[in-house]
Amino acid sequence: MHQDVERILFTQEELSCRVQELGEKITADYAGKEVAVASVLRGSYIFMADLTRAIRLPITVDFMAVSSYGSGTVSSGQVEIKKDLSDSIEGKDLIIVEDILDSGNTLYYLMDVLRARKPASIRICTLLDKPERRAKPIAADYVGFQIPDAFVVGYGLDYDEKYRNLPYIGILKPSVYGGWQGEF
């Protein structure tokens, strides 16, 4: 697996440090409140686990499974909810935890769906933000790292369901997925 990574963007230590900082910021912003945290599976499961341990507040945890990629490397633009939240979010402060904010198609769609359920508030926490690819007018409230327009894997992010278990985030070699061979 490691041989398929062109270069490491963020080490395990850098990820750990940044997730702690995000947890501290969320803790400060929601002091005295109970927060509902919802992970968008599957890519965010490792980030979500680490982030929830870094939040020093009472929280509830839920999960959604949403797809707009299939087995490709570029969002199809068609969003499908494969698993919905198990609990009601009405009247709750909700933080959506996402692995990567890319085109914005998925989160833009999700925000509309979730706003209709009348939460007290909704904020987005994304580990990675790729603003160069944004197709929808959406921004995260909490961002781990801004990244270049490259295909990244590791720390939960995958290509064709592989590489999720890498302890770092790296750029996948284009030769692995048949992508562009230029420099980033």
Side-chain angles (χ1 to χ4, degrees):
M1 286 191 314
H2 300 285
Q3 72 277 4
D4 294 340
V5 174
E6 186 172 281
R7 75 180 156 101
I8 294 173
L9 283 180
F10 306 107
T11 66
Q12 188 171 4
E13 294 77 22
E14 290 170 318
L15 290 165
S16 178
C17 183
R18 185 64 184 133
V19 171
Q20 278 300 129
E21 292 170 356
L22 289 170
E24 290 168 11
K25 176 75 171 130
I26 290 168
T27 299
D29 289 353
Y30 287 91
K33 296 183 178 182
E34 183 175 320
V35 180
V37 183
S39 174
V40 181
L41 296 172
R42 294 181 207 167
S44 66
Y45 78 101
I46 294 174
F47 174 45
M48 171 79 152
D50 290 345
L51 180 66
T52 56
R53 286 190 296 260
I55 297 171
R56 304 290 180 227
L57 299 168
I59 60 171
T60 60
V61 175
D62 209 340
F63 300 91
M64 293 186 86
V66 181
S67 177
S68 68
Y69 282 84
S71 64
T73 60
V74 178
S75 174
S76 68
Q78 299 291 346
V79 180
E80 176 186 0
I81 295 177
K82 295 185 172 211
K83 184 223 175 287
D84 207 340
L85 295 173
S86 298
D87 301 320
S88 170
I89 59 169
E90 187 170 346
K92 296 182 179 178
D93 291 303
L94 176 67
I95 298 174
I96 300 170
V97 177
E98 180 65 289
D99 56 352
I100 186 167
L101 178 51
D102 192 333
S103 68
N105 289 328
T106 301
L107 280 175
Y108 190 81
Y109 172 81
L110 263 184
M111 291 296 281
D112 277 347
V113 168
L114 296 173
R115 276 190 201 105
R117 298 178 187 182
K118 300 182 173 103
S121 68
I122 304 179
R123 289 190 178 170
I124 298 169
C125 179
T126 188
L127 178 62
L128 303 175
D129 187 14
K130 197 188 292 188
E132 292 176 43
R133 303 248 322 138
R134 198 80 77 246
K136 296 286 186 185
I138 191 163
D141 301 281
Y142 304 98
V143 175
F145 301 96
Q146 200 170 82
I147 63 168
D149 186 9
F151 195 80
V152 294
V153 294
Y155 196 67
L157 289 96
D158 75 301
Y159 168 64
D160 202 21
E161 297 303 322
K162 298 176 189 90
Y163 308 100
R164 291 188 194 278
N165 58 327
L166 292 174
Y168 54 80
I169 292 177
I171 296 175
L172 191 63
K173 289 180 181 175
S175 59
V176 174
Y177 61 90
W180 180 63
Q181 299 286 336
E183 286 192 35
F184 296 106

